[in-house]
Amino acid sequence: MPEQAIERVEAPEIGERMERALLPSGLMVQVLPKPGFAKKYATFATHYGGLDSSFQVPGESGRTDVPDGIAHFLEHQLFAEEDGDAMDRFSRLGAGSNAFTTHTSTTYLFSTSEHFEEALGILLDFVQHPYFTEAGVQKERGIILQEIRMYQDDPRWQIDFQLRQALYVRHPFRLDVAGTPDSIRQITRDLLERCYRTFYHPSNMVLTVVGDVDPRRVVDQVAEDQARRGLRAQVPIRRFRPEEPDRIGRKRVEKRMPVARPWVAVGFKERGGAAEGLAAFRRELATSLLLELLFGRGSDFYASAYEEGLIDGSFGSGYNGDEDFGMSVVEGETDEPERLVERVLEAVEETRRRGVDPDRFEALRKKVLGGLVQELDSPESLAYMANEAYFHGHTLFDSFAVARELRLEEVEERLRGHLDPDFHAVSLVLPEGRA
């Protein structure tokens, strides 16, 4: 087998480099060498998540629709093996393993300080060697139904779910990644195999390694694995999403649960169409900075609301989005939910009138950049950031460039275009039996 060419991508301003190779199977291998790090961390991710319930299989002309929650179901199912569980194989090497599914991707991972090459072999094997049986599917269905019930009893999960349901009308972002009990019952072994064949092709995947490893040895090991499987690169998968109307679904959603204090979340819906690649990351970064400026622990709002006893340490804000969906959330526990909602909206209105303070913006921009640099010491964060960057058509280091170049005008645009009072909704979880 000819030696696989490796491309070096360098970021001298932060003292980092990445070695990467696009294999003939279509799989991208990314290695971030971290000399001196004891932990070695590897992820094998597919660009397939909870949103992908309607798609066109490459080579077919028709559209395929599957029940919600099937990406998450596959994540559970792939650990099953004919003679046990893939996690047991990692454990015997002293390696920790796990997996998770988001709205847009599914990631399998392990970390270890020893036996790295053996553990990488297990990761490549179990993700690319599914073992589906009727009995296994039935067993996993029961586990997932139990997991869904557990989520539904969690007030933090409930408040986020309600908010997405209120803000979005048709887009699948409004749905739970795990699906519903009804959709889970519709999932069959044949559907799992069809989705696996479509989305677990190497062309739709990326393998990322972070740690004190030799990039050439990693690439050679993965290239040999792919050559044995004989797969060739395929065309991108076409995905279908319903057209989302330019309005919110409901202004307010609430539920009674066995909680000690009310939980409240104020959300703002993303508008203005899709942003692709780095533009989506730039949008996310500008919004996160804006929320930190308005509601972060160093903000005037936080100081006064905390002093008044309106909020406590549970209060926070954040942005959750991708290319064609997104929402900003301000949330926390409080004894006065209506007053907190009012104060949050007043803070947004006041900042829209006054504009963003340039000095505060510059201080926070440096803080955000510093936070990104700190992530360089976290193998987990580096791997996830590198995977997301690849799925969006750029590299991890481009993200740092965006943070350095972010302008005040971009944050002002997010303030006026995204934090629009006409596109906000309120989600409440209230104690049972209280008026």
Side-chain angles (χ1 to χ4, degrees), residues 308-330:
E308 294 168 27
L310 184 59
I311 61 173
D312 58 18
S314 66
F315 182 81
S317 62
Y319 180 79
N320 180 6
D322 206 278
E323 293 184 342
D324 67 337
F325 66 89
M327 68 174 184
S328 290
V329 184
V330 185

Side-chain angles (χ1 to χ4, degrees), residues 118-136:
E118 293 95 323
L120 181 58
I122 295 172
L123 182 68
L124 289 164
D125 179 50
F126 92 85
V127 174
Q128 297 181 104
H129 186 201
Y131 179 67
F132 299 129
T133 65
E134 294 294 348

Side-chain angles (χ1 to χ4, degrees), residues 21-71:
L22 183 61
L23 305 183
S25 66
L27 178 65
M28 172 60 81
V29 182
Q30 306 181 127
V31 183
L32 289 127
K34 303 293 284 186
F37 273 41
K39 181 193 284 187
K40 300 174 178 68
Y41 194 79
T43 64
F44 199 3
T46 172
H47 193 193
Y48 173 44
L51 299 183
D52 299 310
S53 295
S54 185
F55 53 89
Q56 184 176 354
V57 178
E60 295 185 7
S61 57
R63 169 173 161 166
T64 296
D65 293 303
V66 297
D68 296 322
I70 203 162

Side-chain angles (χ1 to χ4, degrees), residues 86-386:
M87 280 191 174
D88 295 336
R89 287 204 279 162
F90 284 112
S91 295
R92 285 195 286 274
L93 293 176
S97 61
N98 210 334
F100 60 90
T101 306
T102 71
H103 282 99
T104 57
S105 65
T106 307
T107 303
Y108 302 84
L109 60 96
F110 76 84
S111 65
T112 188
S113 56
E114 297 181 314
H115 307 295
F116 171 77
E117 291 178 4
E118 293 95 323
L120 181 58
I122 295 172
L123 182 68
L124 289 164
D125 179 50
F126 92 85
V127 174
Q128 297 181 104
H129 186 201
Y131 179 67
F132 299 129
T133 65
E134 294 294 348
V137 171
Q138 190 62 28
K139 177 185 172 187
E140 213 58 53
R141 192 193 323 279
I143 294 171
I144 293 170
L145 287 171
Q146 194 172 19
E147 191 176 313
I148 291 173
R149 283 193 289 272
M150 188 178 69
Y151 290 149
Q152 291 174 343
D153 289 339
D154 181 346
R156 295 294 296 266
W157 178 91
Q158 190 65 243
I159 208 157
D160 177 77
F161 177 67
Q162 288 182 166
L163 195 56
R164 286 185 277 117
Q165 292 263 310
L167 290 173
Y168 279 84
V169 179
R170 298 195 191 103
H171 194 285
F173 179 54
R174 70 193 304 274
L175 306 174
D176 182 21
V177 168
T180 66
D182 283 346
S183 69
I184 295 305
R185 292 187 185 98
Q186 295 170 35
I187 294 173
T188 64
R189 176 181 169 180
D190 287 346
L191 285 174
L192 287 169
E193 289 178 341
R194 184 167 177 75
C195 289
Y196 179 85
R197 287 196 303 273
T198 303
F199 290 101
Y200 281 73
H201 189 283
S203 292
N204 194 52
M205 303 183 75
V206 60
L207 190 144
T208 300
V209 173
V210 183
D212 193 353
V213 297
D214 179 349
R216 167 51 65 188
R217 290 184 65 168
V218 172
V219 169
D220 285 350
Q221 182 179 354
V222 180
E224 287 173 15
D225 172 273
Q226 296 294 283
R228 281 199 304 274
R229 298 177 195 279
L231 293 168
R232 307 298 298 179
Q234 72 172 14
V235 298
I237 302 157
R238 188 178 177 197
R239 304 158 201 249
F240 301 98
R241 303 268 167 78
E243 186 174 347
E244 176 66 20
D246 190 27
R247 62 179 173 84
I248 63 169
R250 283 179 286 176
K251 275 285 186 189
R252 182 186 176 100
V253 188
E254 63 180 59
K255 183 172 184 171
R256 299 275 174 181
M257 294 183 69
V259 294
R261 302 173 69 202
W263 276 92
V264 61
V266 182
F268 294 85
K269 181 179 179 178
E270 190 60 78
R271 302 179 60 204
E276 296 182 356
L278 265 181
F281 179 73
R282 183 179 287 272
R283 184 171 74 179
E284 176 182 344
L285 197 64
T287 313
S288 298
L289 193 150
L290 175 61
L291 292 171
E292 182 68 19
L293 191 145
L294 277 166
F295 303 111
R297 299 207 168 198
S299 67
D300 293 342
F301 177 92
Y302 193 95
S304 63
Y306 194 88
E307 181 68 24
E308 294 168 27
L310 184 59
I311 61 173
D312 58 18
S314 66
F315 182 81
S317 62
Y319 180 79
N320 180 6
D322 206 278
E323 293 184 342
D324 67 337
F325 66 89
M327 68 174 184
S328 290
V329 184
V330 185
E331 64 178 328
E333 254 184 321
T334 179
D335 291 323
E336 301 178 81
E338 305 299 341
R339 186 162 159 250
L340 180 54
V341 170
E342 187 178 326
R343 287 285 300 276
V344 166
L345 295 176
E346 284 175 358
V348 170
E349 277 293 344
E350 176 63 20
T351 310
R352 285 166 66 93
R353 277 196 298 274
R354 286 190 292 107
V356 174
D357 179 85
D359 294 335
R360 284 271 294 143
F361 161 76
E362 186 55 25
L364 280 174
R365 190 189 65 78
K366 289 177 180 173
K367 181 181 175 184
V368 168
L369 186 57
L372 282 174
V373 171
Q374 283 185 342
E375 301 288 355
L376 296 172
D377 291 330
S378 166
E380 295 89 342
S381 296
L382 270 181
Y384 304 151
M385 289 167 64

